Amino acid sequence: QVQLVESGGGSVQAGGSLRLSCVASGSIFRINAMGWYRQAPGKQRELVAASTSGSITNYADSVKGRFTISRDNAKNTVFLQMNSLKPEDTAVYYCNARIVLFTTAPYENTYWGQGTQVTVSS
C-alpha cells in the first residue's frame, strides 16, 4: 500500500551535481528511516546514505563529504544532494524507507522505489 517515487536522476559531467528526491505515499503512520542505495553494473547494491527518524545520518565512505541526505518529514520526502560527482558514482539509485502503516502499527515494513539512473561522464 506504500509507493516510493524517485526523481532527479540523469546524466552529468564529472564534478557536477544532481539532487534526487523520493516521495513516500500511502497510509503512513510513521517513517522510521529513509535512505538511498545504489547498484552499479556488476556490483552488489550498497547503502549510500540513510537518515533515521531521529535525524541521525550515515554515509558510505565513498560519498562522505560529497553527498548530503535530508528529509522533509511533513511531506514524507527524502533528498540526496550529490555534489562533486565522479564516474564511479554511476549507478541506479534506489530510495528505501522503513515505514509503519496505520493498519499495522507499531510494526514496520521496508519499501523500495523503482530506481533512477545516475550517469556521470568524464
Side-chain angles (χ1 to χ4, degrees):
Q1 301 301 113
V2 171
Q3 185 176 19
L4 304 181
V5 179
E6 301 113 326
S7 61
S11 297
V12 66
Q13 294 186 54
S17 298
L18 287 172
R19 181 177 169 87
L20 305 183
S21 300
C22 174
V23 180
S25 61
S27 57
I28 297 170
F29 171 69
R30 185 176 69 245
I31 299 178
N32 288 333
M34 299 188 81
W36 294 92
Y37 290 71
R38 68 186 181 187
Q39 187 166 22
K43 295 185 177 181
Q44 293 183 312
R45 188 173 298 187
E46 64 176 350
L47 175 67
V48 177
S51 176
T52 70
S53 59
S55 298
I56 302 298
T57 60
N58 62 84
Y59 299 89
D61 288 340
S62 60
V63 308
K64 192 171 297 184
R66 300 186 297 120
F67 292 9
T68 302
I69 189 170
S70 60
R71 290 172 63 179
D72 185 339
N73 292 327
K75 298 180 179 179
N76 293 331
T77 300
V78 64
F79 306 94
L80 185 67
Q81 179 66 45
M82 304 185 294
N83 297 327
S84 301
L85 282 161
K86 304 175 180 179
E88 307 92 271
D89 296 317
T90 296
V92 177
Y93 284 70
Y94 297 90
C95 180
N96 172 270
R98 294 193 280 113
I99 294 174
V100 177
L101 304 180
F102 283 106
T103 54
T104 57
Y107 303 105
E108 177 187 276
N109 287 291
T110 299
Y111 300 90
W112 293 91
Q114 81 287 351
T116 184
Q117 177 70 46
V118 171
T119 302
V120 184
S121 62
S122 59

